[in-house]
Amino acid sequence: MVQGTVQVTHGGTSRWRRRSGEYPTLTAALAVAGDGDVLSIAPGTYRENLVLEHAVTLRGPEGGAGSVRIAPLDGVALTVRASAVIQDLYLEGQDRAAPALLVEDGCPELTDLRVSTRSAAGIEVRGSGARPLVRRCTVENPAGVGISVLDGGGGVFEECEVVAAGQNGVSVRGGGRPRLERCRIHHATGAGIGVTGDGSGLEALGCEVYEVKGAGVQIAARATARLTDCSVHRTSADGVTLDTDAVLTLAGCDIHDIPENAVDLRSRSVLTLSRTTVRRFGRNGLSVWDPGTRVDAESCEIHDSTGDYPAVWISDGATVSLDSCRVHDVPDALFVLDRGSRVDVVDSDLSQVRNTAVSVSDGATAQLDDCRIREAATGAWFRDHGSGGTLAGCTIDAVQTGVIVTKGADPALERCTVTSPAEAGFYVSAGGRGTFTACRVTGSSGFGFHVMDGCRTTLTRCHTERCARGGYEFAEDGPTVGECTGDESGTRLADRSAPGGAPAGARAGIRTATGAQGPVAAQGSVARPEQVAAPSVPRPADVVEGGAEALARSSGEMLGRLDALVGLDSVKREVRALTDMIEVGRRRQQAGLKAASVRRHLVFTGSPGTGKTTVARLYGEILASLGVLERGHLVEVSRVDLVGEHIGSTAIRTQEAFDRARGGVLFIDEAYALAPEDSGRDFGREAIDTLVKLMEDHRDAVVVIVAGYTAEMERFLTVNPGVASRFSRTITFGDYGPEELLRIVEQQAEEHEYQLGEGTSKALLTYFAELPKGPAFGNGRTARQTFESMVERHAGRVAQLAEPSKDDLTLLFPADLPTLPSLPALPAPC
């Protein structure tokens, strides 16, 4: 297409001053044009760099879309510095260092433009005086950003579309604050919408973000945004992410078909949701991390998870509030863990939950008021010491077990009702505590309240009706009971002011629904919640695949992966010695010689985070590579997966777990929990007996590894005469020292393309040496969390730099280290 001519109609205050002229170039026409003049451009290709300094009208032929092309060979195609009107143009740019269309000042109106370019940005609005009104414009820029607003720029974008971008579809930084109305952003390689930096903000109304390879919406580094009636879907990464003091409001939005987290928040970010739907997500619907990070949701719905992760994940001191919300058709509804983490739920529905509706662990807190839980495996599970909170006025219906309290957890439940549970209404075991006031169980197929030995539980004004196995089941050393009743006419439990107050043999005056003494106590629950190996990787207690690949790998490769682990020198020697014996025995058999019998079952002892699960997985793959095991996969279980509540159910569960592990490794974490001290009638011993027999009957089919704290595992090995003989080798995992923790951080930095700057290694050694090594110390997990904290602090620092260098983007310095935590308070005795 050849270059055409430009007709300039000069305006004036009176008719006789108006005149027209034709010019061969746009540059010549602009040179004579002034405010109010109209430049009508004939079809053609204009290879000029245009600069609009006056409030002129620049337009192509009406209805001739694409007939006027502004396509210079380099530089900015069109620069606007006045309140001009630009219509019906096709802009092209080829300069990777410059935008195709740049608005630097004024309030221009840009209408029906098509920007098809391979430049730094399709449309760039720069500077506090730039406030364009952009209507029905399309941007295609596979080499850079679609629309960029920076350095205090703003403006309104109506019915615009970014059809492709090599980076962010819309990028806002440096204090930019645009408004998007009814826009579509899709097929971006970076985020669909990215807003970063202090003072930067964005408002979007009725917009759609989809088919992007990064996050749909990304808000970071103290930026703010508000999205109303918007849709985010079909991203390759998270749907919405907030990081480092970001603030976002979602009102009437729909986030769906996300393969990762639908919404992920970290580092003191704040999210407010109302009338918003989150659905069809592969990981967490809401993933909320770190102290100061908060979510407030009202009248929202989270449903239809496509993965195996909790719908709402809260950890590391974060807080979530749900008011009048619905969470349904998910593996787990609310999963809150770590001291300081909290969830507050009011007048909400949690339903059709495959595992646990509310799971609380590691010292976290849950507060539920007037909520409804139905169709779940477990209504609520308070898992361990320091975990607690309050359930008030809640109803739990059609579940396996209503509420489970274990390992020293101490919640308060008031006016809660459990209806038609398949097993116990309320189940307390393993040193769990809890206060139950005016709670009811109706139509249980098991017990109403089942409290195991030594649990310091308090029941006041509770009531049971139509419980098949009995309203109350306590041990002699049972809970404190006051004013509790059953449904038999006149039945009332004898009040007990302290545990152990009942006469021997009378089972503390406990009655079943028919007034007879309760049956033999049973331990456990059929609810099988997920096992969490680390807060950043929640997963179900099921098969961790890897055996199929292991068959194709050499034992040398597997041992090399073992050697690559930081520290664990004694562990590596033990595993190598064991695999050497197995390998030599295999070769002796091939040579027709007798092979020494090698017991492959192991005991792993040590603190959390020392790599026991990782080594167990590698051990299985090594044995598969040697042909000793068929698959080499790992099945990880704990007490709750093996011990049932009914007589006979424990053996069935243990057999099922063993069968899943055939050809691989059965890894039993915290195995000592199967044999608690003073366990009385505890069914965990049945699991041990069953396991010992299976190990003997199928000695070549499964390798069993039991793991836990050193002292507790020494006691575990004495509970059954066959246990010690089956596990002839114990491998101890020591705590990591400062040098080993430093090496883990160095590995993390190398993997994520960071480097430790001058003095950082020395500062890390000092940090790890001074870090409190109490019960909460996580060894390798602590090192990884330290690196993540350094990256976050580094991002907050570098985001303030206008033109960061490569060193700025990669070097971590001592200033990026987190502050040392204070020493934790000692836990109160149970």
Side-chain angles (χ1 to χ4, degrees):
M1 183 180 291
V2 298
Q3 181 167 312
T5 59
V6 183
Q7 178 176 309
V8 180
T9 301
H10 299 278
T13 57
S14 60
R15 291 179 57 120
W16 65 270
R17 293 184 59 189
R18 296 178 186 164
R19 60 198 185 282
S20 297
E22 288 192 358
Y23 300 87
T25 66
L26 276 166
T27 303
L30 287 171
V32 300
D35 292 346
D37 290 349
V38 177
L39 284 73
S40 301
I41 310 173
T45 299
Y46 298 80
R47 301 201 178 276
E48 305 176 55
N49 301 98
L50 306 182
V51 179
L52 273 62
E53 303 278 4
H54 298 284
V56 300
T57 297
L58 191 68
R59 66 188 183 195
E62 187 174 352
S67 63
V68 174
R69 296 172 64 232
I70 312 300
L73 298 178
D74 56 25
V76 180
L78 175 60
T79 301
V80 184
R81 297 172 181 158
S83 298
V85 176
I86 301 106
Q87 300 173 335
D88 298 309
L89 301 183
Y90 189 101
L91 302 177
E92 294 181 6
Q94 301 296 328
D95 196 330
R96 297 293 182 91
L101 170 58
L102 173 61
V103 180
E104 290 187 315
D105 201 0
C107 301
E109 296 183 18
L110 313 177
T111 306
D112 294 322
L113 305 183
R114 181 171 181 87
V115 181
S116 181
T117 181
R118 299 190 66 85
S119 52
I123 298 176
E124 183 172 299
V125 180
R126 179 195 302 165
S128 58
R131 295 288 187 271
L133 172 59
V134 187
R135 294 193 183 100
R136 299 188 301 278
C137 292
T138 302
V139 178
E140 181 180 11
N141 183 16
V145 175
I147 296 172
S148 178
V149 183
L150 66 158
D151 297 344
V156 177
F157 295 78
E158 296 179 355
E159 300 181 32
C160 294
E161 184 173 11
V162 177
V163 300
Q167 299 176 32
N168 288 356
V170 175
S171 177
V172 182
R173 56 189 175 90
R177 301 192 70 86
R179 175 183 172 89
L180 311 181
E181 298 182 6
R182 302 179 301 284
C183 295
R184 299 170 63 202
I185 301 102
H186 54 95
H187 292 90
T189 299
I193 296 174
V195 188
T196 186
D198 198 5
S200 299
L202 174 137
E203 185 173 2
L205 175 65
C207 296
E208 185 179 12
V209 179
Y210 62 99
E211 296 290 357
V212 296
K213 292 185 178 179
V217 176
Q218 189 174 63
I219 317 296
R222 291 171 292 283
T224 63
R226 179 182 180 88
L227 276 64
T228 304
D229 298 331
C230 293
S231 173
V232 179
H233 58 104
R234 301 203 306 275
T235 62
S236 295
D238 295 337
V240 177
T241 67
L242 285 79
D243 201 352
T244 315
D245 301 292
V247 178
L248 173 64
T249 298
L250 299 175
C253 294
D254 188 6
I255 303 169
H256 63 95
D257 294 290
I258 308 295
E260 298 293 328
N261 298 310
V263 182
D264 182 86
L265 295 83
R266 298 169 188 259
S267 301
R268 304 171 304 281
S269 297
V270 177
L271 172 66
T272 303
L273 304 99
S274 61
R275 301 177 291 101
T276 291
T277 300
V278 177
R279 54 194 172 96
R280 295 199 297 273
F281 43 90
R283 291 181 69 89
N284 306 125
L286 293 177
S287 176
V288 192
W289 301 73
D290 303 324
T293 305
R294 180 176 181 86
V295 173
D296 292 292
E298 182 178 2
S299 302
C300 296
E301 185 175 9
I302 304 172
H303 63 100
D304 287 321
S305 167
T306 60
D308 295 318
Y309 300 86
V312 180
W313 171 270
I314 310 152
S315 67
D316 290 344
T319 302
V320 170
S321 174
L322 306 178
D323 190 345
S324 304
C325 294
R326 293 182 61 210
V327 182
H328 60 94
D329 292 285
V330 294
D332 299 271
L334 311 178
F335 199 104
V336 52
L337 72 161
D338 298 325
R339 188 173 302 277
S341 301
R342 181 181 180 92
V343 63
D344 293 278
V345 190
V346 178
D347 189 24
S348 296
D349 290 275
L350 312 176
S351 63
Q352 295 174 287
V353 181
R354 295 192 286 277
N355 296 316
T356 305
V358 181
S359 179
V360 187
S361 62
D362 293 340
T365 301
Q367 172 83 38
L368 276 72
D369 294 290
D370 301 319
C371 293
R372 297 156 296 278
I373 299 172
R374 58 186 176 85
E375 297 179 50
T378 303
W381 189 343
F382 296 87
R383 292 173 176 267
D384 46 31
H385 185 82
S387 303
T390 302
L391 269 64
C394 297
T395 60
I396 303 173
D397 183 38
V399 297
Q400 289 290 108
T401 304
V403 176
I404 300 175
V405 183
T406 54
K407 297 182 182 178
D410 193 11
L413 287 87
E414 306 170 2
R415 299 174 286 103
C416 292
T417 300
V418 180
T419 305
S420 303
E423 298 189 359
F426 298 93
Y427 176 73
V428 186
S429 72
R433 305 180 74 172
T435 301
F436 301 85
T437 304
C439 294
R440 302 172 63 91
V441 181
T442 302
S444 171
S445 298
F447 296 110
F449 291 82
H450 188 178
V451 182
M452 296 301 297
D453 298 6
C455 293
R456 298 173 61 184
T457 303
T458 300
L459 280 70
T460 307
R461 301 192 307 280
C462 294
H463 184 74
T464 62
E465 296 178 356
R466 302 189 306 280
C467 295
R469 298 191 65 192
Y472 302 85
E473 175 69 1
F474 307 151
E476 292 183 8
D477 184 18
T480 299
V481 180
E483 303 180 58
C484 294
T485 59
D487 60 352
E488 183 187 22
S489 176
T491 296
R492 177 188 176 97
L493 287 188
D495 289 352
R496 300 167 54 175
S497 59
R507 302 192 59 80
I510 300 166
R511 299 175 181 270
T512 66
T514 60
Q517 301 299 327
V520 176
Q523 171 82 7
S525 165
V526 301
R528 307 174 81 172
E530 73 299 320
Q531 301 297 308
V532 180
S536 58
V537 191
R539 66 178 187 268
D542 207 324
V543 175
V544 180
E545 296 294 348
E549 295 181 2
L551 286 174
R553 299 170 181 158
S554 69
S555 59
E557 179 186 350
M558 295 297 99
L559 289 168
R561 288 175 56 188
L562 176 68
D563 289 338
L565 298 178
V566 172
L568 305 177
D569 291 340
S570 63
V571 173
K572 295 171 185 175
R573 287 194 298 271
E574 290 278 358
V575 173
R576 275 191 173 273
L578 187 58
T579 54
D580 287 345
M581 290 183 63
I582 293 172
E583 171 66 7
V584 171
R586 185 175 64 87
R587 292 182 180 179
R588 284 177 60 87
Q589 285 181 328
Q590 291 174 349
L593 301 172
K594 289 184 178 179
S597 176
V598 180
R599 296 199 178 276
R600 301 167 294 174
H601 310 301
L602 303 176
V603 179
F604 285 179
T605 66
S607 302
T610 49
K612 295 188 290 294
T613 306
T614 300
V615 172
R617 184 176 292 110
L618 283 173
Y619 181 58
E621 294 180 351
I622 291 169
L623 296 183
S625 68
L626 293 172
V628 175
L629 289 177
E630 181 180 356
R631 297 175 60 195
H633 65 288
L634 184 78
V635 174
E636 183 179 353
V637 296
S638 63
R639 175 191 170 92
V640 73
D641 302 292
L642 303 177
V643 178
E645 184 176 8
H646 303 300
I647 295 174
S649 61
T650 295
I652 294 173
R653 287 191 182 189
T654 304
Q655 177 76 61
E656 289 174 348
F658 194 91
D659 288 342
R660 294 203 309 275
R662 283 185 182 274
V665 174
L666 179 63
F667 183 81
I668 306 175
D669 196 17
E670 297 182 339
Y672 52 82
L674 294 173
E677 293 181 330
D678 302 323
S679 57
R681 294 181 180 273
D682 186 82
F683 280 7
R685 293 180 181 272
E686 181 183 350
I688 296 172
D689 296 342
T690 303
L691 189 64
V692 168
K693 186 175 188 306
L694 289 170
M695 292 167 66
E696 179 63 27
D697 294 345
H698 308 280
R699 63 182 64 187
D700 296 326
V702 175
V703 167
V704 179
I705 299 177
V706 291
Y709 290 104
T710 302
E712 286 83 347
M713 291 306 297
E714 289 175 355
R715 178 178 55 79
F716 169 77
L717 293 175
T718 66
V719 300
N720 181 298
V723 170
S725 64
R726 299 295 184 275
F727 299 95
S728 59
R729 184 183 294 262
T730 297
I731 299 179
T732 300
F733 290 66
D735 288 339
Y736 288 119
E739 293 81 5
E740 293 166 328
L741 296 171
L742 170 62
R743 180 56 187 146
I744 293 173
V745 173
E746 290 174 339
Q747 286 183 346
Q748 291 284 302
E750 181 179 357
E751 179 182 344
H752 293 86
E753 297 184 345
Y754 285 88
Q755 297 179 13
L756 301 185
E758 183 177 356
T760 307
S761 296
K762 183 177 180 181
L764 275 165
L765 282 174
T766 302
Y767 175 85
F768 287 131
E770 296 178 356
L771 192 67
K773 307 299 192 297
F777 179 64
N779 283 288
R781 173 187 169 192
T782 297
R784 290 187 290 272
Q785 289 176 333
T786 300
F787 170 73
E788 292 169 0
S789 296
M790 292 177 71
V791 169
E792 291 172 1
R793 293 166 70 94
H794 165 270
R797 174 169 55 80
V798 174
Q800 309 308 311
L801 304 178
E803 297 291 340
S805 65
K806 184 176 181 180
D807 283 347
D808 291 330
L809 294 169
T810 57
L811 289 175
L812 301 174
F813 289 105
D816 298 320
L817 272 167
T819 56
L820 280 169
S822 59
L823 287 170
L826 291 174
C830 293

